Amino acid sequence: MAKPAPDNALLRSLSKSDLEALEPHLKLVDLKTGATLYEMEDSVEWVYLPEIGLLSLIIVMESGAAIETSIVGREGGVGFIEALGSGKIFNRVIVQVPGKAYRVHAKAYREAFDASATMRKAVHQQIELLQAEGRQAIACHSLHKVKPRFNRWLLECQDLAGGMKVMPLKQEFLAVMLGVSRTTVTRIALEAQKRGLLKYTRGSVEILDRAGLEKGACECRASVQHLRRELEPASVLASKPNPAKG
C-alpha cells in the first residue's frame, strides 16, 4: 500500500528519490500546545517539518521581554536552514496550534542535503520563498489597514495550520502578529462575527465564510499565493486548502 504524500511543502517539493532517502529518518511526532521546541541559541539537533499545526518563532530581549516575529506551518519547517549553517537557532520556538510534524535528526538531514543536488535546489527554493514572504509581510504591515490584514492573517493561519476550521488562536497571538492592541483585535473580530464571517470566542476562532474573508483581505493575500505558485508549485499551499480538517 502506497504511503500518503506528506502535506509539508518542503517534503512535497523533494524528488521521489530524495524523499525515499530521507523517509527512514523521518518520525511523525505530536505538537502539543505551549511546548517549547527550542530556546534562544540552542543547538539544532532536530529539524521539524509540520504537517498540521502552527509554530511561533519568538525573539527574547535581554530584559526578558519577548515578541512573536513569525509563524511556521506546513509551508516549511524549523531548523532546516540553521542545521546547514551555524547549527544554532536564534529564536525561541513554541507550539501555538497543536498538530503533528515530521522530525528528522539534523545530522541525517545534512547528509541527505549534501548528497543530492536536487534536494539542495528544493531547500534553496524554500529559502527564497521565505525571504519573499518576509518582504511582503513588511510591506503589508507598513501600508495596509488592520482589518484587511486581520482577514489575511486568519486565512494564512488556516492554510499553514493544515486547513483547520476551528483554530485555538489566542487574542494575544493575533494582537502581536498584527502589531495592534488586544482591544483592537476583539473589536475587529466581533465585527467580523456580526457579518457571519467567523465565530469568535476567547482563545478560539472558527472560520465560517472563507470567501467573505478572501474578499476583505488585502492584496498581499493574492501576492503570497502567487509567490508560492511561482517558487514552489508542488506545494499544497499554492492551491485551495481543505478546511474540513480539525
Side-chain angles (χ1 to χ4, degrees):
M1 182 175 173
K3 292 184 179 179
D7 270 352
N8 181 272
L10 179 54
L11 290 176
R12 286 175 68 94
S13 69
L14 299 181
S15 67
K16 182 180 178 181
S17 59
D18 287 339
L19 185 57
E20 287 176 348
L22 202 58
E23 273 181 343
H25 307 285
L26 293 173
K27 181 180 179 181
L28 196 61
V29 297
D30 290 328
L31 299 175
K32 297 182 179 180
T33 305
T36 300
L37 303 184
Y38 282 112
E39 285 288 358
M40 296 276 291
E41 297 198 38
D42 275 353
S43 296
V44 174
E45 184 177 1
W46 300 99
V47 174
Y48 292 89
L49 304 166
E51 285 278 287
I52 186 170
L54 285 177
L55 306 177
S56 285
L57 273 62
I58 297 170
I59 296 293
V60 183
M61 301 297 183
E62 290 183 3
S63 65
I67 186 169
E68 287 158 311
T69 57
S70 59
I71 54 175
V72 173
R74 56 180 178 156
E75 90 293 356
V78 166
F80 79 98
I81 298 174
E82 293 86 351
L84 303 173
S86 67
K88 280 190 174 184
I89 194 162
F90 293 92
N91 298 279
R92 176 182 292 163
V93 182
I94 66 169
V95 178
Q96 188 66 240
V97 174
K100 292 184 179 295
Y102 282 108
R103 188 177 76 171
V104 56
H105 198 277
K107 182 175 183 293
Y109 168 76
R110 284 194 303 271
E111 289 174 349
F113 178 87
D114 290 341
S116 170
T118 54
M119 182 171 172
R120 291 195 292 274
K121 181 180 179 181
V123 171
H124 289 152
Q125 283 182 321
Q126 178 64 214
I127 294 171
E128 184 179 359
L129 175 60
L130 291 178
Q131 287 181 324
E133 287 181 330
R135 292 166 186 150
Q136 190 74 41
I138 293 171
C140 183
H141 187 80
S142 301
L143 299 174
H144 294 150
K145 294 182 178 180
V146 178
K147 190 179 294 185
R149 290 196 290 120
F150 174 85
N151 291 349
R152 178 206 166 195
W153 264 112
L154 283 186
L155 292 165
E156 288 288 295
C157 285
Q158 186 179 59
D159 288 354
L160 300 181
M164 294 179 179
K165 187 176 180 181
V166 181
M167 296 177 288
L169 297 177
K170 293 181 180 180
Q171 185 187 52
E172 293 85 357
F173 169 71
L174 291 170
V176 169
M177 294 309 298
L178 292 167
V180 297
S181 68
R182 288 180 291 177
T183 54
T184 299
V185 168
T186 299
R187 176 178 57 79
I188 293 173
L190 291 177
E191 287 177 2
Q193 182 169 261
K194 288 179 181 178
R195 294 171 57 201
L197 299 177
L198 53 86
K199 182 178 179 182
Y200 177 73
T201 57
R202 189 172 183 178
S204 177
V205 176
E206 179 180 359
I207 292 179
L208 302 176
D209 183 0
R210 267 187 70 91
L213 286 175
E214 293 274 9
K215 188 176 180 180
C218 64
E219 66 185 81
C220 295
R221 170 68 177 164
S223 296
V224 168
Q225 288 177 318
H226 175 70
L227 287 172
R228 289 169 180 160
R229 285 191 292 270
E230 288 292 311
L231 296 174
E232 206 165 47
S235 170
V236 292
L237 300 178
S239 58
K240 293 181 179 179
N242 175 13
K245 294 182 181 180

